[in-house]
Amino acid sequence: MSEAPALRRPITLHLRGDWGQANLHRICGWLAQEMGDRAPEGSRFAIWNGRGGIDQIEALRAGEVDIALVTPTAAVRTLDRAGKTEGLASLGVIGQRDRLVVAVDASLPVTTVADFASIADQLTVATSPDDGVNLIGLAAHKALRIAGVDHEKLTFFYDERPFPLLDRFIEGKANVLIHEAVMTPRWQQLDSVRPVRYLPWGEDVLRAFAAEGWQDAVVEAGYFPGLTEDLRTLDFSDFAILCRQDLDDDVAALATWCLVMTRRALEAQYTHLPADHSPVTYPLVPADMARSPLPLHPAAARMYEALGDSELADGAPLWK
């Protein structure tokens, strides 16, 4: 097993995750512990709460934190093209298979999102706010505009997180749901109150997002109850682990080493779930972790090259 890079001085490292109990925070906790085990005495690690969106990028650029996680990576690519990630680099990607999906009450006379325009005054849309931070809300509202739907005619119910919105739809208090976290059990329960239909965004929306670096992806038939054919929608996959370009080389190298060489400790927290319904993809593959929406920090790039497809030694403990 490759030896971790040596840190010759204590460090203080600030990481930024999610609200505190979701996957970004869990990844930060894993990384902080693994780095802390390999850092000199006196090192300190702090995890700040965040929202996983544009707030993470702003915190990095302001020097408030050293490492922050953003999802999806497609949004990072789009923000980079818009010049909003200047001065930032990446330490890698943690895989997550997710999609931004539109679900509606099957009684509505619609087959695509563009059809909302004709019945907008009848719709209550459960989604996240487009508040300059939340990337779900940004994508949902932008896609609705491209599809020709007048926001002013819609009624919205907003929440930052998916589960209150899923519950709102399940309870019949909203007849349109636009959100992600499609691997979670609540998505399997959407039809518990009434039949559900899943709508494609349409070629105009997918084409416009692709032009800005945001790809489409497929939800396979049968993934949801009642989904009888493949659904093309917007990709919402993967957690980008970002830092500033001036992060010290030894710190960036150690972080990357820990991402690759201790990845089983993270995977072990998800293997009770089927791989296609897990919030973190497993097994994690180093070559995929190095495919980042931003250029890798130079020290991270060198570490990925040095480690290649390294595996932990057989029988290596998941927890120390």
Side-chain angles (χ1 to χ4, degrees), residues 186-204:
R186 297 301 272 164
W187 275 93
Q188 301 297 317
Q189 301 165 2
L190 290 190
D191 63 347
S192 60
V193 173
R194 62 210 186 282
V196 173
R197 181 181 300 123
Y198 301 93
L199 302 187
W201 280 108
E203 289 299 325
D204 289 346

Side-chain angles (χ1 to χ4, degrees), residues 36-54:
D37 285 351
R38 297 164 176 84
E41 183 177 353
S43 295
R44 301 184 302 167
F45 297 82
I47 302 173
W48 293 89
N49 287 20
R51 296 170 61 189
I54 295 174

Side-chain angles (χ1 to χ4, degrees), residues 143-205:
L144 287 169
R145 286 192 296 270
I146 296 169
V149 182
D150 185 351
H151 288 195
E152 298 299 321
K153 296 181 179 179
L154 298 169
T155 299
F156 286 97
F157 176 79
Y158 289 136
D159 200 280
E160 172 84 355
R161 304 175 199 167
F163 301 116
L165 299 168
L166 286 157
D167 288 342
R168 190 87 172 185
F169 185 86
I170 290 170
E171 293 164 2
K173 297 176 181 178
N175 52 9
V176 178
L177 171 68
I178 305 175
H179 225 273
E180 44 89 61
V182 299
M183 76 296 294
T184 58
R186 297 301 272 164
W187 275 93
Q188 301 297 317
Q189 301 165 2
L190 290 190
D191 63 347
S192 60
V193 173
R194 62 210 186 282
V196 173
R197 181 181 300 123
Y198 301 93
L199 302 187
W201 280 108
E203 289 299 325
D204 289 346
V205 171

Side-chain angles (χ1 to χ4, degrees), residues 227-306:
L227 182 62
T228 58
E229 58 185 37
D230 290 352
L231 175 71
R232 281 187 68 208
T233 187
L234 288 169
D235 192 27
F236 219 87
S237 297
D238 300 337
F239 305 117
I241 305 173
L242 305 183
C243 63
R244 291 189 307 279
Q245 292 173 354
D246 63 2
L247 182 65
D248 289 344
D249 281 3
D250 57 349
V251 175
L254 177 60
T256 307
W257 187 94
C258 290
L259 290 172
V260 173
M261 298 304 297
T262 74
R263 61 191 185 275
R264 289 184 189 167
L266 180 67
E267 292 172 359
Q269 300 177 53
Y270 294 93
T271 52
H272 63 290
L273 300 168
D276 65 342
H277 281 80
S278 171
V280 167
T281 299
Y282 64 86
L284 295 169
V285 178
D288 293 336
M289 297 168 76
R291 295 188 182 122
S292 172
L294 295 184
L296 290 170
H297 186 289
R302 291 192 293 270
M303 183 58 66
Y304 280 113
E305 184 176 0

